[in-house]
């Protein structure tokens, strides 16, 4: 895989460089609530601009349905990118139309532009190779070189991620190179004990990665909404907690395999349970009780791991040489149910091992709860991409960057 440093060594001055970034940031109206993904691509964009490239940044945002939708405009992200670069960033109001062509042709050496949301064109996400390829052809007209740096999208077979690199000389940006290096430390170069913490809502989202980790990890800690399917599989009452009953046979199989393989599978021993899901907008105090994980009342919903579980999880992380964490341990967006997630984050901070926060909601939780990002070994920008890599899948966006 060619790196951006090799591309820069060959010379990029005066050349149009298409940077496939991941600017898919959360918005409250037009206000960005977490700019982590924008900050992550700044080193690549800045280095290209400093070398005299004419930089064309492209990304998706949200899930528009193949047509322009003002709710998913990249304009706020373009503005924030300019603030972080300390330079004006031009913005095209379409992807491959007259605005994009005019903005790109107007760039001078060292200038940066952002084109509008790629998913405003149906060809970006089409499953039809010809339609996707036709859109990639039009994108290729905007550039001379391609740099892939949108790690959060490399598991998608989309035009700008998979088809476009085949049409232009290409290289991996700093972010993708860093992400891949980190993931290799979690797969090929693991230091032990290797502890994995998995949370989030649905166990079905994590089945593939659990399957792989049962042969690699020393301990797997399970929290979040997905834990209740495990607890139910053990015969415990889970009340009205989130439950995927159809996954109980698979979960049971995984628990048996963990025991057979000598992998310690750790479940919550207590939970915070309430009569209903909290209103995340008001953040008003809620009525909850701490109960043992095998004694959840039939009319209660588990919304966080309890204090004994927090202590247990922290103790299981304490001696780890490698820790991978993906998924919050509770409804961290509400202060009453953030303590479990805080405890795990704090345990990672206290670890002397290599700690990785696996993107998505985990990364959002770290920022939302006020932790110093630089204190962790690595915070990934792509939760789904990280998980699929750990599952052993071939990621289209990475395959496309191979020479």
């Amino acid at each position: 895989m060619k790196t951006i440093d090799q591309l820069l060594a060959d010379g990029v001055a005066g050349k149009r460089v298409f940077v496939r970034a991941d600017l898919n940031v959360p918005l409250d109206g037009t206000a960005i609530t977490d700019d982590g993904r924008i900050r992550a691509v700044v080193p690549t964009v800045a280095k290209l601009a400093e070398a005299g490239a004419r930089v064309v940044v492209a990304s998706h945002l949200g899930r528009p349905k193949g047509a322009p939708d003002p709710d998913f405009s990249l304009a706020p992200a373009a503005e924030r990118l300019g603030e972080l670069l300390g330079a004006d960033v031009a913005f095209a109001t379409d992807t491959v139309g007259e605005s994009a062509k005019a903005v790109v042709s107007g760039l001078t050496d060292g200038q940066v532009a952002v084109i509008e949301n790629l998913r405003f064109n149906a060809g970006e996400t089409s499953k039809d190779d010809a339609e996707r390829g036709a859109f990639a052809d039009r994108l290729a007209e905007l550039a001379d070189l391609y740099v892939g740096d949108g790690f959060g999208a490399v598991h998608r077979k989309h035009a700008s991620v998979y088809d476009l690199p085949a049409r232009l000389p290409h290289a991996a940006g700093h972010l993708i190179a860093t992400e891949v290096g980190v993931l290799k430390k979690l797969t090929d170069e693991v230091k032990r004990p290797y502890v994995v913490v998995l949370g989030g809502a649905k166990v079905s989202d994590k089945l593939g990665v659990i399957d792989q980790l049962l042969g690699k990890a020393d301990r797997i800690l399970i929290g979040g909404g997905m834990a209740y399917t495990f607890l139910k599989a053990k015969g415990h009452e889970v009340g009205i907690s989130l439950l995927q009953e159809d996954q109980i046979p698979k979960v049971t199989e995984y628990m048996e395999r963990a025991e057979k393989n000598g992998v310690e599978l750790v479940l919550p021993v207590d939970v915070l349970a309430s009569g209903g899901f909290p209103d995340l907008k008001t953040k008003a105090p809620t009525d909850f009780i701490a109960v043992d994980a095998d004694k959840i009342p039939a009319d209660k919903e588990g919304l966080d791991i309890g204090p004994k579980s927090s202590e247990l999880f922290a103790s299981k992380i304490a001696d780890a040489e490698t820790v991978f964490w993906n998924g919050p341990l509770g409804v961290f967006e509400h202060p009453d149910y953030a303590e479990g997630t805080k405890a795990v984050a704090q345990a990672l901070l206290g670890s002397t091992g290599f700690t990785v926060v696996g993107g998505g909601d985990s990364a959002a939780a770290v920022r939302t709860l006020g932790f110093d990002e630089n204190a962790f070994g690595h915070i990934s920008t792509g939760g789904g991409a990280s998980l699929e890599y750990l599952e052993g899948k071939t990621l289209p966006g990475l395959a496309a960057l191979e020479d």
Side-chain angles (χ1 to χ4, degrees), residues 163-202:
D163 301 273
L164 185 55
R167 289 157 168 77
L168 296 169
H170 51 264
H174 291 302
L175 176 60
I176 280 187
T178 298
E179 295 273 12
V180 171
V182 166
L183 288 168
K184 285 183 177 178
K185 290 184 179 181
L186 299 177
T187 51
D188 304 327
E189 306 160 10
V190 179
K191 292 184 178 180
R192 300 184 181 279
Y194 180 18
V195 177
V196 176
V197 185
L198 296 176
K202 295 181 178 181

Side-chain angles (χ1 to χ4, degrees), residues 36-112:
R37 284 177 169 164
I38 302 175
R39 287 186 283 111
V41 79
V42 166
T44 290
V45 175
K47 212 162 194 180
L48 288 166
E50 289 165 6
R54 303 177 183 192
V55 188
V56 182
V57 181
S59 176
H60 69 287
L61 191 152
R63 297 179 181 274
K65 298 179 179 180
D69 184 335
D71 289 341
F72 297 104
S73 175
L74 277 174
E79 182 179 356
R80 181 58 180 149
L81 179 61
E83 292 171 354
L84 293 167
L85 290 170
D88 290 337
V89 169
F91 182 67
T93 57
D94 57 28
T95 55
V96 291
E98 293 306 313
S99 179
K101 292 175 183 176
V103 166
V104 173
S105 66
L107 291 175
T108 59
D109 295 359
Q111 286 191 323
V112 178

